[in-house]
Amino acid sequence: MTQKLKNILKSKPFRKRFNKNNFFKKSCIKKNGKIMSLIIKNALIHSKNKTSINSVFISNGKIKKIIKANSTEKIKADKILDAKNKLLLPGGIDSHVHFREPGMEFKGNWKSESRAAAAGGITTVIDMPNNIPSTTTAKNLDKKRKIAGKNSLVNFGFHFGAEKGKLNEINKAKNFAGIKVFMGSSTGNMLLEEEKELEKVFKIAKKKNKIAVLHAEDEKIIKQNTENAKQKNWNNIKYHNKIRSTKAEVEAIKKALKIRKKVGNKIHFLHVSTKKGLQEIINAKKKGKGKISCEVCPHHLFLNEKDLKKLKNFGKMNPPLRTKKDNDFLWKNLLNGKIDFVSTDHAPHLKKEKQKKFFDAPSGVTGTETVYPLLLDQAGKKKMKMQRLTEVLCEKPAEIYGIKNKGKIQKGFDADLVLVDLNKKWIIKNSLIHSKCNWTPFNGIKLQGKIASTIIDGKIVFNKGKFNNKFRGKEIEFQKT
C-alpha cells in the first residue's frame, strides 16, 4: 500500500464516509482510479456436476481467473474474502419483478426491493412496466432508469410496455429486455387483448428483434367469470382459481401461439401456472425453432389452492394458485428443461391492502428474496441438480434476454456472485423480509441453505445480514438474441 493511499485512509473525510459500516471499507475503495481487486478463497465451486474447492480472482468487476486449490500460483489482491468452504454460485437473475417505483412507492421502491433482492442472492432484476405512469413511452422509460440508477442496490434492466395507441413508442425506446403484453387485466391499465393489436406488437417485436413477453390470460373469460362470481357472492379467495380459470390461461396461450405462427416472432410466456397451458407451449416448442420460451414462478411450484385456507388473500396473485397436479407437472418440466427458467413476479402490496375483502384485495406476492433459498433447499434434498438450479436462475434468463457476461462463474464474466451456507437451517419469517411490505407467502417454511454473502461487480454488497448502502447497481445492456 502506497503512503498516499495510507494518508487517504486516515483522512477525516474518508473515515466519516465509511464509519457506519466498517466491513465494506475496502470493497468500495478505488486505487489509482480503478476498482480494487478481490480474491475469494476456499470456495466450493460447482462445475460439470463436480464440486471442488477453488479461489476466484476478481479485478475491475470481472472474473479474471479461477485458481485451483492445488495451484502454487501466487496472486495478490487488495482484499481477500475467505469463503470457509461455502458454496460459490452465480448471482441470480430475476427477470420478472414489479418494484413499484415510480407511482406506487407506498408499496415498495427501488431501494427497499433491491435490498430484498440482494439479501436473497439476486444480483440482477428486470422490472415490469406497469407503474404510474406506465413505462409505455421512451420518456417514461428514461425517467425510470434514472430512479433505478440512483437507488438500486442490484443491477437492473427494464421491460417496455405495449399500450394501445402508443405502440409507436416501442420504436423510440432504447435498451430494454422485452415488450410486455397484458392479455389479461392486472395491476395498471395496459390491457391489450384484441388479435389485431397483438399482431401489431408481434410484428414490431420481430422487426426490433425483441421478445414479446406475455401475461397470458383471456380477458373475456375472466370478465364473464367475475360477473358470475359477483352474482353468486363468491367474495372469497377460494374462488380465484375459478374466476381466472385454467381455460382463461389455455385460451390466451392458444391465441398467442396462433398469431406468433403467422408473424414468426419470438415470444415468452410469463408465470405459466397450469398443466394444460404448459402442454400447449411444449407442443408448440417442437415446431417453434427456438422462438418460444416460458417461465414458472416459485409460488406456482411450492404452493397450491390448499394453502389458501391459511394464506387467504396473501395467496392472491394472477394467475392464481392451482392444484397439486399442476404443481407436479410444472416441477417435472422445470427439471427436464421444457420450462426454460424461474422468475418471481415479485409484486409487493401492503398487509392492510391484502386484508381487504377478496374482490377489493390486490393481486401479487413477494418472491425475489426467497426464490434462491427455496431452490437451494430442493437441491440440498437431491430433488434438483445444482447445475439445473444455476441454469434456471442464472444462465437461461441471461441467454434468452441477451444479457452478456452474466449467469456463470467463468473467466471474463461479471463478478456477480453469491456465497451459500449449505448447512444453515432456518425458517422463512415475515419479520426477516426486507421488502417494504414485510411479508411473504412462504412464511413458516423450513429450509436448509442460506445466502451468506452477495457480491455484485466484484464488491461485497450483502454480508452476514448487513448491506453496503454506498453501492449502486448498474443498468445492464441487452444484446441481440
Side-chain angles (χ1 to χ4, degrees):
M1 186 183 294
T2 64
Q3 186 60 46
K4 185 178 179 181
L5 185 56
K6 287 180 180 178
N7 292 337
I8 292 172
L9 292 172
K10 291 178 182 178
S11 67
K12 187 175 179 181
F14 183 90
R15 285 186 285 108
K16 184 177 180 181
R17 183 179 179 187
F18 291 101
N19 64 356
K20 289 185 179 180
N21 201 341
N22 190 55
F23 179 85
F24 296 110
K25 282 183 182 178
K26 289 186 179 179
S27 67
C28 295
I29 303 170
K30 289 187 177 182
K31 188 175 181 179
N32 298 326
K34 294 182 179 180
I35 300 168
M36 292 181 73
S37 55
L38 170 69
I39 287 180
I40 304 171
K41 69 175 187 177
N42 300 322
L44 281 170
I45 299 179
H46 188 83
S47 178
K48 296 179 181 178
N49 295 320
K50 292 181 180 180
T51 304
S52 57
I53 296 176
N54 297 296
S55 297
V56 177
F57 175 59
I58 297 163
S59 182
N60 289 325
K62 297 284 186 180
I63 298 170
K64 296 295 183 181
K65 197 160 195 176
I66 298 170
I67 309 158
K68 293 184 178 181
N70 58 1
S71 174
T72 57
E73 184 178 7
K74 292 183 180 180
I75 297 177
K76 291 183 179 181
D78 300 298
K79 183 174 180 62
I80 296 174
L81 175 63
D82 191 347
K84 298 179 180 178
N85 295 341
K86 292 184 179 71
L87 182 65
L88 187 69
L89 293 171
I93 299 173
D94 191 350
S95 62
H96 185 169
V97 302
H98 302 263
F99 277 6
R100 300 305 190 201
E101 190 176 15
M104 292 177 275
E105 291 86 350
F106 67 96
K107 297 175 187 281
N109 54 53
W110 277 95
K111 183 178 180 181
S112 64
E113 307 315 297
S114 67
R115 281 166 64 93
I122 300 297
T123 55
T124 299
V125 298
I126 307 179
D127 194 60
M128 286 295 172
N130 51 333
N131 304 103
I132 302 173
S134 58
T135 313
T136 53
T137 68
K139 185 178 179 180
N140 288 346
L141 175 60
D142 287 339
K143 285 180 179 179
K144 187 158 75 165
R145 61 170 39 111
K146 286 177 183 178
I147 294 169
K150 185 178 178 180
N151 297 290
S152 183
L153 202 63
V154 300
N155 295 323
F156 56 88
F158 310 98
H159 291 291
F160 194 81
E163 184 176 351
K164 191 174 182 179
K166 295 181 181 179
L167 298 184
N168 63 314
E169 287 286 333
I170 301 171
N171 292 313
K172 300 177 185 178
K174 296 179 181 179
N175 194 40
F176 60 90
I179 303 169
K180 175 66 179 286
V181 179
F182 284 93
M183 297 175 70
S185 56
S186 192
T187 302
N189 298 296
M190 293 173 55
L191 182 65
L192 203 70
E193 58 177 321
E194 297 299 328
E195 286 196 20
K196 63 178 181 178
E197 295 295 329
L198 290 169
E199 188 174 329
K200 284 181 185 178
V201 175
F202 285 14
K203 286 179 177 178
I204 293 170
K206 184 180 181 181
K207 186 177 179 180
K208 287 185 72 71
N209 197 22
K210 287 290 182 182
I211 303 174
V213 293
L214 311 176
H215 180 135
E217 290 185 286
D218 188 278
E219 182 65 14
K220 290 180 181 178
I221 294 173
I222 294 169
K223 276 185 177 180
Q224 186 174 350
N225 289 344
T226 301
E227 289 175 9
N228 292 339
K230 287 183 176 180
Q231 287 175 6
K232 295 176 180 179
N233 197 28
W234 283 359
N235 199 2
N236 191 298
I237 184 62
K238 68 181 181 180
Y239 298 111
H240 195 40
N241 189 16
K242 296 182 184 297
I243 295 169
R244 302 184 84 105
S245 61
T246 294
K247 184 180 179 182
E249 179 170 280
V250 171
E251 291 305 313
I253 289 171
K254 284 181 177 179
K255 182 194 290 186
L257 288 171
K258 183 181 77 171
I259 300 169
R260 192 222 72 83
K261 188 176 181 180
K262 179 181 178 182
V263 175
N265 63 304
K266 296 176 185 177
I267 60 173
H268 177 77
F269 289 100
L270 302 164
H271 45 46
V272 179
S273 66
T274 65
K275 178 179 179 178
K276 289 182 179 180
L278 179 56
Q279 191 61 63
E280 291 290 338
I281 296 168
I282 291 170
N283 293 341
K285 271 189 167 193
K286 295 173 184 177
K287 298 179 181 179
K289 297 181 180 179
K291 293 186 177 183
I292 302 168
S293 58
C294 64
E295 68 185 49
V296 67
C297 295
H299 44 267
H300 291 129
L301 292 171
F302 291 93
L303 304 172
N304 57 60
E305 59 186 6
K306 290 184 179 179
D307 294 295
L308 292 173
K309 188 174 182 179
K310 174 187 173 184
L311 288 170
K312 297 182 171 57
N313 291 336
F314 289 92
K316 184 181 180 184
M317 76 287 292
N318 301 331
L321 296 181
R322 306 297 188 179
T323 67
K324 179 66 166 57
K325 286 183 179 180
D326 289 308
N327 287 153
D328 293 342
F329 192 74
L330 294 173
W331 263 116
K332 175 185 174 182
N333 288 282
L334 177 66
L335 297 177
N336 68 21
K338 290 176 182 176
I339 293 177
D340 295 277
F341 61 80
V342 175
S343 71
T344 69
D345 194 11
H346 176 88
H349 296 284
L350 299 183
K351 290 179 182 177
K352 64 180 181 181
E353 295 178 284
K354 284 293 196 175
Q355 289 166 346
K356 294 178 180 179
K357 290 183 178 181
F358 166 67
F359 285 129
D360 298 322
S363 293
V365 297
T366 60
T368 199
E369 189 169 355
T370 49
V371 60
Y372 221 142
L374 285 164
L375 294 180
L376 282 166
D377 183 68
Q378 293 298 298
K381 292 173 179 174
K382 308 297 182 185
K383 294 181 179 180
M384 183 181 207
K385 290 182 178 180
M386 195 62 71
Q387 179 62 40
R388 185 60 184 152
L389 188 159
T390 56
E391 283 175 0
V392 302
L393 202 55
C394 312
E395 295 177 26
K396 276 294 183 179
E399 177 188 319
I400 286 173
Y401 286 118
I403 307 170
K404 191 178 179 182
N405 293 334
K406 291 193 185 293
K408 295 180 181 180
I409 301 178
Q410 190 171 302
K411 183 179 177 181
F413 272 58
D414 295 343
D416 297 345
L417 306 163
V418 292
L419 275 174
V420 176
D421 185 347
L422 286 174
N423 297 317
K424 179 70 174 178
K425 293 181 180 180
W426 63 294
I427 301 172
I428 299 176
K429 294 180 181 179
N430 288 335
S431 60
L432 299 176
I433 296 299
H434 291 88
S435 181
K436 190 172 184 178
C437 69
N438 204 223
W439 65 269
T440 168
F442 305 107
N443 181 55
I445 292 180
K446 296 178 181 179
L447 300 177
Q448 182 167 333
K450 201 172 196 304
I451 305 298
S453 304
T454 302
I455 297 155
I456 302 175
D457 197 30
K459 303 179 194 69
I460 303 165
V461 174
F462 175 79
N463 187 72
K464 297 178 181 178
K466 294 182 180 180
F467 294 95
N468 176 357
N469 291 314
K470 298 291 183 181
F471 179 81
R472 289 296 177 268
K474 297 177 182 177
E475 182 176 1
I476 54 178
E477 292 186 15
F478 298 100
Q479 313 293 319
K480 289 184 178 180
T481 55

